[in-house]
């Protein structure tokens, strides 16, 4: 009843003003409570101070306006120091309560609310001490205690509900409870006070116009303070909204899944993550461990490869973590990358690194690794057979049907070879038409079974889809056995290759087992190449000259320069042996240049200007700098281009006829002569003569050697001489060794001759020197 009678003693319009102020201030305080909780560490104190000022001003203004609204019927006044102290305590108490309520441990909200209720109670009763009335003031201790309990209990409940979840939680419930705590404190506390006037009351001081004006002024100042806090909150909310918008744009602009976790639940996630998990269920508010069970393995200092459980199954992912500790409640940002495409690409790259891109067979790397395991110290096998395989006639398929058909043929053959393998057998493509196969064996003949299966796979015809025709290849296989033929892998591979080359050159068999004599032959050839390279530097090479004469007059028409190799110990090496080695090893370029330069320099010093003939290797003829080299040598030695005759064979023109003819025309432009050597032994003599205007035809010595063996050789010689006469090209017959051969050539009106009958090759053209001496 005292509570209701106390309410009647108040100016209701001012009570309404106090209530409105209490409601607005409480709303602002509850929202500032959330802002303090989310504040960064550096700004937390500033927000606590601002929120404490706003909350304290709200409480104090509500209390002071309500005090002004109280009309006890006696003259009242307000002691300024205690009034100011009550305001200061309200602000400090509110700030302390807000600081405690926003700590990270669980009961902090209720404890901060209780502290808030205590601060409100202290502020109220200190303010009441500043209330000076013309009369005796009596207090009801029970109502005083009740008012304090109301403030503490409802304050604790208000702060707890502001940070709680579930039913009866949220800003509106917290605001209502905070308003209730302040209202109940004030009116219960006011009802606890009874004033006994000292003298008859004169008027109602509380209802005067000055009192109302003062209440409005207090409300205005309080509104200014609270409005400042509200404006700051609104501006900060706008800034935070802009930050969230930019964060959303940043998250959505990332192709990887981006998730922000706070208090162990997802607070933000982009569309990429939602698409990755593949579920229509809400992601926000859910723990990230719902999809990534082993999330604890992710650390900020390293990338973690984990597994994400999506709607359509498990997905391998890579997780990067960054922790933002600037806030009171730290945020963890997870970047989640789908690894399926990368893993597939890595698998493809690994496959390409270990397998042939065309046929899919293992490549050289895989082959070496497999062989290393089979022939290593821990090998369980007694012996391993290595098969080096080369396809025969494959180049013909490429030339006739194109490279696409060749690729199709290789792919089909590779598939057949793979299908022909048994367990523990291996096949790989090393490149081009080169393959290798291997198998553990107990006896050498065990490899024959694999050879037979591979022969069937390789030699069976293949239908070329684009051409609509069948194509087939042969094979040459060389077999080397570990450890019988070699205990090192590189040596084993080399020995298998040697056996394969022997099989390729064999007519009787397409498979050959390695024999030690093969290696001896190869070593001999390699040693001879090394000695030939040293022979150039040691001056063991020399030129011998063989005379060329006119058949009709017997006059000397020129000399052919012939290369000889005499070792320092006096042994001679046949040109038929070392010239092919020089061509295979590439030494022929250096040797050919030496021959050309030496021959030109020697001939330039002769007293009689005879013509000289120098042989060109097909390797030299294929070199683009040959015309420039010839011109440079002629300039350096001073030999007239008309005295130089370069001899080439038909074989040299077969490889690249267009290129060869272009080089020959450049040589002709210099002024040198071009002779076709060994005519009649090539593949297309007549077409060669038609394609280029040679200056001389040299008939091969084999026709002269067979002249007495039957009429066919004589007929061929007559035909060649008639051909030369028809084309107006002089013909020189090589290999003239008997007077009968020379008489036959004279009868057939051959132009020139060369052979042992006319003069054996020697280091100096003796007849040319003697002729010059007699002429002098």
């Amino acid at each position: 009843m005292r509570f209701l009678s106390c309410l009647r003693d108040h100016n209701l319009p001012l009570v309404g003003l106090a209530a409105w102020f209490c409601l607005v201030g409480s709303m602002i305080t509850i929202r500032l409570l959330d802002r303090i909780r989310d504040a960064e560490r550096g700004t937390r104190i500033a927000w606590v101070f601002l929120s404490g000022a706003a909350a304290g001003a709200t409480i104090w203004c509500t209390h002071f306006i309500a005090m002004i609204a109280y009309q006890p019927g006696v003259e009242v006044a307000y002691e300024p120091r205690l009034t100011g102290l009550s305001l200061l305590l309200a602000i400090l108490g509110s700030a302390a309560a807000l600081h405690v309520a926003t700590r990270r441990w669980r009961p902090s909200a209720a404890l901060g609310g209780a502290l808030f209720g205590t601060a409100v109670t202290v502020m109220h009763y200190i303010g009441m001490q500043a209330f000076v009335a013309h009369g005796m003031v009596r207090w009801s201790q029970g109502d005083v205690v009740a008012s304090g309990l109301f403030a503490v209990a409802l304050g604790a409940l208000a702060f707890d509900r502001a940070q709680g979840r579930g039913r009866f939680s949220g800003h509106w419930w917290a605001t209502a409870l905070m308003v209730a705590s302040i209202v109940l404190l004030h009116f219960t506390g006011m009802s606890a006070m009874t004033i006994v006037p000292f003298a008859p009351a004169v008027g109602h001081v509380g209802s005067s116009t000055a009192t109302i004006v003062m209440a409005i002024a207090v409300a205005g100042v309080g509104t200014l303070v609270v409005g400042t806090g509200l404006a700051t909150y609104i501006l900060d909310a706008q800034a935070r909204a802009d930050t969230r918008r930019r964060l959303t744009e940043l998250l959505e602009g990332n192709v990887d899944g981006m998730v922000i976790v706070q208090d162990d639940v997802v607070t933000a996630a982009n569309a990429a993550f939602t698409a990755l998990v593949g579920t229509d269920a809400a992601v926000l508010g859910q723990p990230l461990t719902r999809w990534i069970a082993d999330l604890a393995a992710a650390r900020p200092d390293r990338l973690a490869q984990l597994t994400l459980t999506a709607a359509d199954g498990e997905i391998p992912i890579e997780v990067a973590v960054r922790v933002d500790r600037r806030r009171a409640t730290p945020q963890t940002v997870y970047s989640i990358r789908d690894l399926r495409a990368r893993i597939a690409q890595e698998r493809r790259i690994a496959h390409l690194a270990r397998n042939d891109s065309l046929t899919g067979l293992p490549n050289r790397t895989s082959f070496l690794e497999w062989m290393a395991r089979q022939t290593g110290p821990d090998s369980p096998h007694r012996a391993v057979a290595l098969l080096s395989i080369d396809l025969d006639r494959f180049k013909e398929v490429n030339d006739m049907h194109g490279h696409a058909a060749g690729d199709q043929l290789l792919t089909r053959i590779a598939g057949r070879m793979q299908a022909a393998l048994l367990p523990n057998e291996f096949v790989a493509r090393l490149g081009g038409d080169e393959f290798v196969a291997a198998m553990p064996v107990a006896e050498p003949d065990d490899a024959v079974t694999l050879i037979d299966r591979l022969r069937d796979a390789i030699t069976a015809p293949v239908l070329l889809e684009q051409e609509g025709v069948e194509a087939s290849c042969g094979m040459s296989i060389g077999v080397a056995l570990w450890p019988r033929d070699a205990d090192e892998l590189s040596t084993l591979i080399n020995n298998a290759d040697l056996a394969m080359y022997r099989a390729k050159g064999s007519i009787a068999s397409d498979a050959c087992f390695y024999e030690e004599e093969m290696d001896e032959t190869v070593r001999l050839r390699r040693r001879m190449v090394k000695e030939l390279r040293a022979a150039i530097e040691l001056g063991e090479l020399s030129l011998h000259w063989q005379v060329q004469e006119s058949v009709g007059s017997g006059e000397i028409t020129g000399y052919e320069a012939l290369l000889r190799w005499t070792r320092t110990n006096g042994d001679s090496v046949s040109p038929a042996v070392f010239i092919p080695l020089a061509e295979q090893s590439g030494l022929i370029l250096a040797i050919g240049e030496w021959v050309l330069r030496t021959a030109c320099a020697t001939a330039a010093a002769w007293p009689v200007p005879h013509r000289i003939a120098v042989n060109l290797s097909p390797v030299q003829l294929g070199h683009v700098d040959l015309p420039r080299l010839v011109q440079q040598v002629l300039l350096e030695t001073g030999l007239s281009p008309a005295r130089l005759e370069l001899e080439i064979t038909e074989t040299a023109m077969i490889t690249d006829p267009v290129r060869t003819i272009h080089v020959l025309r450049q040589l002709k432009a210099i002024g040198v002569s071009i002779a076709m050597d060994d005519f009649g032994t090539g593949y297309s003599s007549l077409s060669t003569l038609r394609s280029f205007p040679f200056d001389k035809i040299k008939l091969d010595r084999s026709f002269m050697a067979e002249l007495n063996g039957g009429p066919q050789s004589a007929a061929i010689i007559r035909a060649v001489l008639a051909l030369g006469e028809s084309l107006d090209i002089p013909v020189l017959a090589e290999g003239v060794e008997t007077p009968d051969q020379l008489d036959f050539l004279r009868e057939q009106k051959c132009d020139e001759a060369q052979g042992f009958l006319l003069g054996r090759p020697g280091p100096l053209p003796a007849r040319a020197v003697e002729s010059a001496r007699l002429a002098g």
Side-chain angles (χ1 to χ4, degrees):
M1 293 300 295
R2 285 197 305 272
F3 183 89
L4 294 176
S5 63
C6 176
L7 184 61
R8 288 196 304 269
D9 292 338
H10 283 72
N11 185 320
L12 294 182
L14 292 180
V15 170
L17 177 63
W20 176 86
F21 201 92
C22 179
L23 176 63
V24 172
S26 298
M27 292 173 57
I28 295 172
T29 301
I30 294 300
R31 279 160 176 77
L32 288 174
L33 181 67
D34 288 342
R35 184 61 186 88
I36 296 172
R37 189 183 304 112
D38 296 335
E40 293 79 3
R41 293 184 180 276
T43 62
R44 177 181 172 82
I45 298 301
W47 279 107
V48 168
F49 172 76
L50 178 64
S51 301
T58 296
I59 300 167
W60 186 82
C61 289
T62 299
H63 163 76
F64 202 79
I65 294 173
M67 288 287 294
I68 294 174
Y70 180 58
Q71 298 174 348
V74 297
E75 183 179 356
V76 297
Y78 299 95
E79 204 280 321
R81 288 175 296 181
L82 291 177
T83 300
L85 178 62
S86 66
L87 174 60
L88 180 62
L89 290 176
I91 293 174
L92 294 178
S94 298
L98 292 172
H99 176 70
V100 172
T102 54
R103 304 303 294 176
R104 299 186 62 181
W105 42 292
R106 184 175 181 82
S108 61
L111 184 60
L115 182 59
F116 177 79
T118 302
V120 172
T121 302
V122 171
M123 179 275 304
H124 175 80
Y125 284 105
I126 289 180
M128 292 301 298
Q129 292 299 318
F131 179 79
V132 180
H134 187 70
M136 182 181 295
V137 179
R138 296 178 180 175
W139 295 92
S140 171
Q141 298 298 327
D143 289 343
V144 171
V145 172
S147 66
L149 292 177
F150 280 140
V152 172
L154 291 177
L157 188 60
F159 277 37
D160 180 73
R161 292 297 85 197
Q163 300 187 47
R165 294 187 178 90
R167 195 175 182 184
F168 304 115
S169 300
H171 291 169
W172 290 111
W173 283 101
T175 300
L177 290 171
M178 185 174 179
V179 170
S181 69
I182 296 174
V183 170
L184 289 176
L185 168 67
H186 175 78
F187 287 104
T188 304
M190 294 300 293
S191 66
M193 182 180 64
T194 302
I195 300 177
V196 180
F198 290 138
V202 181
H204 297 282
V205 179
S207 62
S208 65
T209 301
T211 301
I212 295 174
V213 170
M214 185 173 66
I216 294 174
V218 171
V221 174
T223 301
L224 180 62
V225 175
V226 175
T228 301
L230 178 61
T232 303
Y233 176 80
I234 292 173
L235 291 175
D236 179 71
Q238 181 63 40
R240 296 179 70 191
D242 292 341
T243 301
R244 284 193 297 271
R245 177 180 55 80
R246 288 193 294 269
L247 177 61
T248 302
E249 293 175 352
L250 178 63
L251 293 179
E252 296 300 334
N254 202 313
V255 296
D256 296 331
M258 300 293 294
V259 179
I260 298 178
V261 174
Q262 190 172 13
D263 291 333
D264 297 328
V265 296
V266 177
T267 59
N270 64 352
F273 177 76
T274 305
L276 188 62
V277 297
T279 177
D280 296 332
V283 174
L284 302 184
Q286 299 293 324
L288 188 57
T289 53
R290 172 182 172 182
W291 298 281
I292 308 175
D294 49 352
L295 186 64
R299 294 287 185 270
D301 56 342
R302 61 184 177 88
L303 296 175
Q305 293 190 357
L306 308 176
T307 301
L308 181 141
T309 303
D312 55 351
E314 293 187 345
I315 299 175
I317 58 173
E318 184 177 69
V319 180
V321 183
R322 186 178 68 85
V323 180
D324 183 5
R325 302 186 183 279
R326 294 174 298 174
R327 299 174 180 271
T329 304
Q331 287 184 343
T332 305
V333 182
Y334 293 91
S335 176
I336 301 170
R337 175 168 297 174
D338 186 354
L339 294 182
R340 287 176 293 185
R342 191 174 82 182
I343 290 175
Q345 185 69 9
E346 289 175 351
R347 288 175 179 171
R348 182 174 181 272
I349 293 173
H351 177 80
L352 292 176
R354 302 178 61 83
N355 293 80
D356 178 54
S357 59
L358 176 63
T359 63
L361 290 179
N363 59 10
R364 184 183 297 272
T365 301
S366 298
F367 159 67
L368 294 176
E369 292 177 355
W370 191 90
M371 287 298 298
R373 291 193 300 269
Q374 305 306 314
T375 61
D378 300 328
S379 174
H381 309 299
R382 292 175 50 192
V384 176
L386 174 61
L387 285 65
S388 178
I389 308 168
D390 188 79
L391 302 185
D392 298 335
R393 303 189 305 277
F394 175 73
K395 185 177 184 301
E396 297 177 10
V397 177
N398 270 339
D399 294 341
M400 294 177 59
H401 305 288
H403 289 282
D407 291 345
Q408 183 182 351
L409 179 64
L410 285 176
T411 303
R412 292 289 299 278
I413 289 176
R416 292 174 179 174
M417 295 170 67
Q418 185 74 40
L421 298 181
L422 298 178
N424 293 328
E425 295 179 348
F426 183 87
V427 66
R429 181 189 180 212
L430 302 186
D433 58 351
E434 298 180 11
F435 296 83
V436 289
M439 65 178 295
V441 295
E443 300 293 337
D445 290 342
D446 293 344
V448 176
T449 60
L450 178 57
I451 293 174
D452 293 337
R453 284 183 272 125
L454 293 178
R455 182 184 293 109
D456 294 338
I458 293 172
T459 59
V462 173
L463 178 61
L464 302 178
E465 298 177 358
Q466 297 179 349
E467 299 291 332
V469 297
E470 288 187 343
S472 61
C473 286
M475 71 169 193
S476 298
I477 295 182
V479 184
L481 298 176
W482 172 86
R484 188 193 72 177
D485 297 330
D487 55 2
E488 292 186 0
L489 181 56
S490 59
T491 307
L492 184 68
I493 296 172
N494 181 70
N495 292 344
D497 287 340
L498 293 178
M500 183 270 292
Y501 286 121
R502 182 173 179 181
K504 186 175 285 290
S506 174
I507 300 177
S509 176
D510 58 3
C512 181
F513 281 78
Y514 171 78
E515 298 175 0
E516 190 174 355
E517 293 78 8
M518 300 178 188
D519 201 19
E520 183 64 28
T521 302
V522 172
R523 285 197 293 268
L524 180 61
R525 291 169 62 88
R526 291 175 179 172
R527 184 171 66 249
M528 185 169 289
V529 169
K530 183 177 180 181
E531 293 175 353
L532 180 58
R533 184 177 287 108
I536 302 174
E537 302 175 357
L538 298 176
E540 296 179 353
L541 300 180
S542 62
L543 291 183
H544 284 201
W545 302 90
Q546 187 171 27
V547 67
Q548 297 173 343
E549 292 184 0
S550 171
V551 175
S553 64
E555 295 180 356
I556 298 175
T557 58
Y559 286 86
E560 181 179 3
L562 302 174
L563 181 62
R564 296 292 182 264
W565 178 14
T566 304
R567 292 191 174 99
T568 54
N569 60 6
D571 295 338
S572 297
V573 183
S574 171
V577 174
F578 73 82
I579 292 297
L581 288 178
E583 291 178 338
Q584 294 171 7
S585 63
L587 291 176
I588 194 64
L589 293 176
I591 294 175
E593 181 178 349
W594 180 87
V595 170
L596 180 63
R597 193 179 301 275
T598 304
C600 290
T602 302
W606 291 348
V608 179
H610 289 298
R611 185 182 64 248
I612 62 171
V614 178
N615 290 279
L616 289 181
S617 165
V619 179
Q620 290 177 275
L621 195 59
H623 204 272
V624 294
D625 285 342
L626 179 61
R628 183 190 60 80
L629 174 63
V630 172
Q631 187 173 21
Q632 180 181 353
V633 169
L634 291 174
L635 291 175
E636 292 177 358
T637 60
L639 184 70
S640 171
R643 295 180 58 192
L644 178 61
E645 181 178 270
L646 298 176
E647 298 182 0
I648 68 169
T649 62
E650 293 178 274
T651 306
M653 299 190 65
I654 292 176
T655 304
D656 192 350
V658 177
R659 180 188 182 91
T660 303
I661 291 174
H662 177 68
V663 173
L664 294 179
R665 286 174 178 168
Q666 288 181 305
L667 293 172
K668 288 274 288 184
I670 298 174
V672 302
S673 302
I674 306 296
M676 178 182 286
D677 196 11
D678 299 335
F679 183 79
T681 61
Y683 297 98
S684 54
S685 301
L686 297 181
S687 63
T688 305
L689 289 176
R690 183 182 61 182
S691 63
F692 184 78
F694 288 90
D695 297 296
K696 183 182 292 187
I697 296 174
K698 298 188 69 175
L699 187 63
D700 188 69
R701 66 179 63 248
S702 61
F703 295 103
M704 299 306 300
E706 299 174 359
L707 183 59
N708 298 327
Q712 292 86 358
S713 295
I716 293 175
I717 294 174
R718 292 189 188 99
V720 172
L721 293 175
L723 178 62
E725 184 178 2
S726 300
L727 298 176
D728 196 20
I729 301 176
V731 177
L732 184 148
E734 295 183 295
V736 179
E737 298 181 358
T738 64
D740 292 339
Q741 293 173 345
L742 183 60
D743 291 340
F744 175 78
L745 294 176
R746 189 176 291 114
E747 290 175 0
Q748 301 301 321
K749 298 182 180 179
C750 181
D751 298 292
E752 298 179 55
Q754 177 181 341
F756 289 167
L757 178 65
L758 305 178
R760 290 182 175 272
L764 292 175
R767 292 183 59 188
V769 175
E770 181 65 21
S771 298
R773 187 182 63 80
L774 294 176

